[in-house]
Amino acid sequence: MPPDEFERVWDDKGSKAYSDGSIWRPIPPSGYVAMGLVASRGYDRPSRNSVRCVRADLVIASYINELIWNNKRSPAKLDFSAWSISPPGAAAGEVYLSPGTFVGAASYTKPSMHIAAYSLRMQIPLHTAYPPPAPALSGDRQPAPFEKAVVSNISKLAWFTVKDPNLSALEQLRTSPTYRLERLDKYVLVGFGHNKSSLNQSFKWTATRGQNGSSLKTLTHTTGIEIGTEWGFNVWGASGKVSAKLSGGFTHTQTSSEGWTTSTAFEINATVPAHKAVAVYLVQSDYKLLRENGTQVATDISYTDGDNVYWSEYPPARECEVTCKPLPAPGS
């Protein structure tokens, strides 16, 4: 939507520059905001069609950040300084983008927060498919260590939220304007017990919840993406800034992101009735980042969900008792 009007913020009269220049503040219509100031050649008011205002529900209030330029060394009659805009930390499932706009004031002092600053606010599209089917024991023999992995969730990331090690920003925009972060879930066998006796029998296994290995650090170093928390960096040099965060359901962080920084061991205990077999499983999520053409950007990362334990019995009547308890940390 074009602005209703422009308000002059500064001009370079008296600067003795080769060409004249001025800075203007767009006055947005009701329900819209201006993303920043407008620089214009000469002293005439800019055309209303030179910029567009953005709907207020598509932006987020942001911070006035670093000095871009001031005219301290100019003999112009009016002082002026221009400042960059930085988005706040993104909420789960959202992206905030400061697209290189700026705010300013007729002074050399950093503007106070009464001067409005905004970043664009976008949702991270999330496609949720069916989870993998739960495994079922069909006999008293130990099952395979892994069930088939199924793509259960896909987050679509805009190109400017990903640092692609093989593509420049312009190449990203042209060839892969979006990236797919796929989550493949599979059941992983933690333990199997077969009670061949005529009395109840106890079985015990140790499992680990959280992120497996150092692959998360590799992903973050390569692409800038953080899985369990907010991430951000400069785009288009230093003029734009982005902040993004994946949804808690996608990253197993509805209650805590601790599992992405620290893996913890816990004990699973099962009481198995006579002449019965039990298989205990956890769900492992493997994350894969892909360009639009299907090529992979970085190594896979894996996360084991220890908050939910699944077990299957044979014969299938639900008779086993399965409990979990945390194990003390090493050295404690």
Side-chain angles (χ1 to χ4, degrees):
M1 179 71 70
D4 288 340
E5 187 54 272
F6 285 94
E7 175 187 34
R8 190 196 302 264
V9 176
W10 175 82
D11 62 50
D12 71 343
K13 290 179 181 178
S15 67
K16 301 179 182 179
Y18 289 110
S19 60
D20 300 329
S22 53
I23 304 290
W24 301 78
R25 178 178 292 111
I27 307 301
S30 177
Y32 288 76
V33 302
M35 296 296 294
L37 302 182
V38 177
S40 180
R41 184 184 295 273
Y43 301 139
D44 292 336
R45 181 177 280 102
S47 165
R48 291 180 61 241
N49 289 321
S50 61
V51 295
R52 288 294 184 268
C53 299
V54 180
R55 272 181 14 210
D57 61 319
L58 300 178
V59 302
I60 187 81
S62 298
Y63 301 108
I64 298 172
N65 195 25
E66 298 174 346
L67 177 68
I68 299 173
W69 174 82
N70 64 38
N71 70 330
K72 271 189 176 182
R73 296 185 179 182
S74 166
K77 296 177 181 179
L78 299 176
D79 298 337
F80 181 77
S81 58
W83 302 79
S84 65
I85 298 171
S86 181
E94 296 190 346
V95 175
Y96 304 154
L97 173 67
S98 171
T101 52
F102 69 95
V103 296
S107 72
Y108 301 139
T109 304
K110 187 174 185 177
S112 61
M113 290 308 295
H114 75 274
I115 293 182
Y118 299 102
S119 297
L120 297 173
R121 179 182 186 181
M122 295 158 276
Q123 300 292 316
I124 298 177
L126 176 63
H127 172 71
T128 302
Y130 291 105
L137 276 178
S138 58
D140 55 15
R141 291 187 177 183
Q142 181 167 327
F146 299 101
E147 295 293 311
K148 182 181 179 181
V150 172
V151 177
S152 62
N153 294 267
I154 300 174
S155 281
K156 280 202 168 183
L157 300 174
W159 66 272
F160 50 78
T161 65
V162 179
K163 289 183 176 179
D164 193 318
N166 296 327
L167 298 176
S168 67
L170 184 57
E171 288 171 330
Q172 284 182 271
L173 176 60
R174 287 175 174 172
T175 64
S176 190
T178 60
Y179 289 73
R180 296 197 322 274
L181 184 58
E182 296 183 350
R183 192 182 97 185
L184 295 87
D185 290 344
K186 63 185 176 186
Y187 284 93
V188 178
L189 182 68
V190 175
F192 173 79
H194 182 199
N195 183 3
K196 300 177 182 179
S197 72
S198 57
L199 300 174
N200 286 354
Q201 186 176 353
S202 296
F203 293 87
K204 180 171 63 177
W205 307 279
T206 299
T208 302
R209 61 161 58 91
Q211 199 261 324
N212 302 331
S214 60
S215 53
L216 176 60
K217 292 182 179 179
T218 302
L219 176 75
T220 301
H221 177 75
T222 304
T223 67
I225 295 175
E226 294 275 4
I227 297 294
T229 186
E230 176 263 342
W231 78 91
F233 44 77
N234 292 342
V235 291
W236 309 303
S239 60
K241 294 179 175 61
V242 66
S243 173
K245 187 176 183 180
L246 297 162
S247 69
F250 182 73
T251 57
H252 299 289
T253 55
Q254 296 97 323
T255 57
S256 171
S257 62
E258 184 178 337
W260 284 102
T261 55
T262 306
S263 59
T264 56
F266 64 102
E267 187 177 272
I268 301 174
N269 295 277
T271 302
V272 182
H275 308 296
K276 197 171 185 75
V278 64
V280 177
Y281 295 87
L282 296 177
V283 172
Q284 178 179 303
S285 297
D286 297 325
Y287 294 83
K288 186 188 299 286
L289 182 64
L290 304 171
R291 301 181 184 92
E292 281 201 359
N293 63 7
T295 57
Q296 189 165 349
V297 180
T299 184
D300 291 1
I301 56 173
S302 298
Y303 184 96
T304 302
D305 178 16
D307 295 332
N308 299 285
V309 177
Y310 174 82
W311 67 93
S312 177
E313 305 175 24
Y314 184 84
R318 202 73 163 173
E319 298 173 316
C320 295
E321 293 183 8
V322 178
T323 60
C324 302
K325 69 175 183 179
L327 292 175
S332 62

